[in-house]
Amino acid sequence: MLYRTLMGLVAISLLAGCQWLPEEPFSHEPAVSELPADCQSKWPSLTVSTCQTEAWVAFGLESQRGDREWRDRQLALLDGNDTHERLVRAVVLAWGNESEWNKASELYKADISKAPEELEPLLRYWLNELEGRRSLAGRLAEQRQKSQALAAENADQAGKLEELTNKLDALGDIEKSMNLRQQSP
């Protein structure tokens, strides 16, 4: 009886809160094409606007989802060395391969403080996430090296064990031979 009462209360409380759920609870972040027309460009801007952060988030997601070909096209177009292009390049490189992560980190660190104040928290978040991935990759490489060293050590120890086993077998054969000689008149 108590179980039914509790289940009934849980069901009622769940149903009572449904009016506060959004109609599309799991909608994705805005893509570049979903941003207002004045915020749509090839790359997000450093000019302060109402949609500046949304444009950077959309570009970050596009970069994360982009493949090697997309990333190479973007990098080929980013030939400038101003703060804006360096930060855009950092976003693109941050989702590339591990060798590109170092360059992305350098770019973020050099230019975050030059970005508009409203954008700095997002860029710092991305830098921290990138540094976390770099740290994990470093630990993984370290663990692989340790594993390889242990495997080599195990192989070496197995070789030594086999050598000792062979020596013990040889000593056993010598002992048998000596015992046979002592038994013979």
Side-chain angles (χ1 to χ4, degrees):
M1 182 69 176
L2 178 62
Y3 178 74
R4 282 186 177 166
T5 305
L6 285 175
M7 289 305 291
L9 288 173
V10 169
I12 290 171
S13 64
L14 287 174
L15 292 174
C18 287
Q19 70 267 18
W20 289 293
L21 291 175
E23 289 182 29
E24 292 184 40
F26 302 108
S27 64
H28 56 81
E29 293 293 328
V32 174
S33 62
E34 296 173 359
L35 295 172
D38 60 332
C39 293
Q40 291 185 20
S41 65
K42 186 184 320 185
W43 299 308
S45 170
L46 289 180
T47 305
V48 177
S49 69
T50 58
C51 57
Q52 177 187 39
T53 302
E54 290 82 5
W56 278 90
V57 168
F59 184 74
L61 288 170
E62 188 175 1
S63 179
Q64 185 178 6
R65 294 176 187 141
D67 59 8
R68 180 80 254 162
E69 186 178 311
W70 179 89
R71 212 171 318 292
D72 289 342
R73 277 194 319 269
Q74 297 302 313
L75 292 172
L77 296 171
L78 290 162
D79 56 1
N81 204 25
D82 63 344
T83 299
H84 172 250
E85 286 199 26
R86 288 170 52 90
L87 285 171
V88 170
R89 194 176 306 120
V91 173
V92 172
L93 290 171
W95 292 105
N97 56 43
E98 287 183 38
S99 64
E100 294 173 324
W101 294 355
N102 293 332
K103 182 65 176 166
S105 177
E106 291 171 16
L107 291 170
Y108 274 132
K109 289 175 183 175
D111 291 318
I112 283 179
S113 62
K114 299 173 190 170
E117 191 175 317
E118 299 82 15
L119 195 56
E120 284 184 29
L122 175 65
L123 297 174
R124 286 191 198 290
Y125 174 80
W126 285 345
L127 172 61
N128 291 338
E129 191 277 332
L130 174 62
E131 293 299 331
R133 280 189 281 138
R134 289 177 65 206
S135 174
L136 287 174
R139 284 189 269 171
L140 179 62
E142 186 179 303
Q143 290 300 321
R144 283 184 182 148
Q145 286 177 341
K146 286 180 181 178
S147 177
Q148 289 172 349
L150 287 173
E153 185 180 335
N154 283 344
D156 185 47
Q157 294 296 329
K160 288 180 181 178
L161 181 62
E162 184 178 343
E163 185 180 320
L164 285 175
T165 302
N166 291 339
K167 286 180 180 180
L168 282 173
D169 289 344
L171 285 174
D173 290 343
I174 292 171
E175 185 179 3
K176 283 181 191 176
S177 173
M178 289 175 69
N179 286 339
L180 288 174
R181 283 187 195 164
Q182 288 175 357
Q183 291 177 0
S184 300

